[in-house]
Amino acid sequence: MEAAQIEAPGKARVIDSAKPVAGSDDVLIEVAAAGICGTDLHIFRGEYEAIYPLIPGHEFSGTVAAIGENVTRYKVGDRVTADPNIPCGRCPACQRNEPNQCEKLAAIGVTRNGGFAQYVTAPEGNVFSIGDLSFAQAALIEPLACVVWGLKRVQVQPGDSVLIFGAGPMGCLLLQAIKHSGATTIVITDSVPWRLEQAAALGATDTVLADSHQTERLKALVPAGYNVVVDATGLPRVVEQTFSYARARGKVWLFGVCPPGATATFIPYDIFRKDLTIIGSFAVNRTFQESIALIQSGAVQVEPLISHRLPLSRFVEGMELAERDPKRMKVQFTI
């Protein structure tokens, strides 16, 4: 089968790989669409824990091609997606119902071969029906599920004011989900004007270009400070700015993935004096059903976030686009 493989950090190519076989409890999925995530770029650069060589890809959807002998919920031909995270179910974190913090967490596309291929396997318990969603829409269920998990931790309240740094695909998913949670002021800032136009069309109440006047504009919009400030960039220099925009008893949500080992500087006294809460949110935590419902209901639009669709044979080009094209949003492969 055709598959895209990262052989080592910075080295990738499309290969002819053996077709995977479904184990007794697994579903074999014929992949139709798969999207590039920032995590895939980190893996390509060698900035993330991964096992090489690796077929990456953890945002995917497709059709059931075969099932293991113990599988009962799915049949060949069903349209599905899969939660890539596979907890052990036995460690203390799993026993506390914290599977995303599993001590032996495995992940499709990270610790085992993923969806940038014609076929991928997933445990039956990780597979979800996508109903009448398009395959392209369904390949964005996983990133939205990450947003939903963070929202459960942050607890945005009705009437809240929220500031989001970063208007890429994740920032635009965040703003839609946050708006659906009841926030009435959602300001988003980015250095790319085209992305701000997208964010405005998707419901941002105000957009601010990240230039030399950014600070004064953001503070003029909500002078008392924002109830919630979200980093969706994963840039330590941006994370450092977030604290100054939060109001007293506000929350700072670190959603973007900073490189492991990177540091950011802040003033501890400000955290103390303003009663600030700092919240991280990692991956998904049994939030696929909510994500599917948000897309199916129309509360969150994902189609406008897909800026590029390429065949898998152009994998390396797709990775370049996802990292460097100023008008990129979500880059997907049609397989």
Side-chain angles (χ1 to χ4, degrees):
M1 68 171 184
E2 185 180 47
Q5 184 182 77
I6 298 177
E7 299 176 319
K11 186 178 180 181
R13 65 190 179 102
V14 176
I15 64 170
D16 183 14
S17 178
K19 179 180 174 181
V21 177
S24 58
D25 298 307
D26 292 339
V27 173
L28 177 68
I29 301 170
E30 183 175 5
V31 181
I36 297 176
C37 170
T39 299
D40 297 313
L41 297 175
H42 285 300
I43 291 171
F44 181 66
R45 294 193 295 258
E47 299 172 345
Y48 201 82
E49 297 177 11
I51 298 173
Y52 303 95
L54 173 73
I55 297 172
H58 58 273
E59 303 176 2
F60 59 86
S61 65
T63 305
V64 174
I67 58 173
E69 59 186 23
N70 296 331
V71 173
T72 60
R73 294 176 54 234
Y74 299 100
K75 64 183 185 301
V76 173
D78 285 349
R79 305 171 74 256
V80 298
T81 186
D83 181 343
N85 297 297
I86 307 171
C88 73
R90 297 181 294 276
C91 72
C94 287
Q95 291 179 328
R96 292 193 302 268
N97 197 32
E98 299 171 357
N100 68 323
Q101 295 298 329
C102 172
E103 294 175 2
K104 298 180 179 180
L105 185 65
I108 298 168
V110 181
T111 64
R112 55 186 273 181
N113 285 335
F116 291 150
Q118 288 178 281
Y119 295 91
V120 64
T121 59
E124 179 184 16
N126 287 63
V127 177
F128 293 81
S129 172
I130 63 172
D132 60 358
L133 293 179
S134 70
F135 290 123
Q137 288 175 309
L140 278 151
I141 289 169
E142 191 276 343
L144 181 56
C146 295
V147 170
V148 172
W149 168 235
L151 278 174
K152 289 189 174 188
R153 287 183 48 73
V154 175
Q155 294 287 303
V156 171
Q157 300 298 309
D160 270 356
S161 57
V162 180
L163 169 59
I164 302 171
F165 282 86
M170 296 311 299
C172 287
L173 287 176
L174 281 160
L175 86 85
Q176 293 180 81
I178 287 169
K179 185 172 184 177
H180 190 69
S181 297
T184 51
T185 299
I186 307 172
V187 180
I188 193 162
T189 181
D190 197 286
S191 61
V192 181
W194 178 79
R195 285 186 165 186
L196 294 178
E197 292 173 11
Q198 289 280 85
L202 291 169
T205 54
D206 292 280
T207 62
V208 173
L209 185 65
D211 59 14
S212 59
H213 300 289
Q214 177 193 47
T215 298
E216 60 191 75
R217 289 172 180 160
L218 291 176
K219 293 195 172 182
L221 286 168
V222 184
Y226 297 82
N227 296 101
V228 181
V229 182
V230 190
D231 171 65
T233 70
L235 299 173
R237 59 181 173 79
V238 175
V239 170
E240 291 177 339
Q241 301 175 40
T242 56
F243 301 96
S244 66
Y245 294 99
R247 70 181 307 157
R249 297 198 177 181
K251 302 171 186 176
V252 175
W253 178 6
L254 302 184
F255 181 87
V257 182
C258 291
T263 60
T265 302
F266 64 94
I267 302 172
Y269 180 81
D270 290 346
I271 311 300
F272 156 76
R273 183 63 183 84
K274 293 170 68 177
D275 279 342
L276 296 184
T277 300
I278 304 172
I279 299 171
S281 60
F282 171 66
V284 307
N285 193 1
R286 295 175 174 154
T287 45
F288 259 58
Q289 293 286 18
E290 296 94 325
S291 177
I292 292 169
L294 284 168
I295 299 174
Q296 287 180 329
S297 70
V300 173
Q301 299 178 56
V302 294
E303 286 277 2
L305 304 182
I306 304 169
S307 59
H308 297 78
R309 290 181 172 92
L310 303 172
L312 189 61
S313 60
R314 295 167 64 185
F315 174 72
V316 175
E317 179 186 348
M319 295 290 278
E320 292 278 342
L321 287 169
E323 185 151 33
R324 295 187 175 88
D325 191 319
K327 285 198 170 184
R328 72 196 182 281
M329 289 292 272
K330 178 62 65 174
V331 178
Q332 281 190 352
F333 296 107
T334 301
I335 303 173

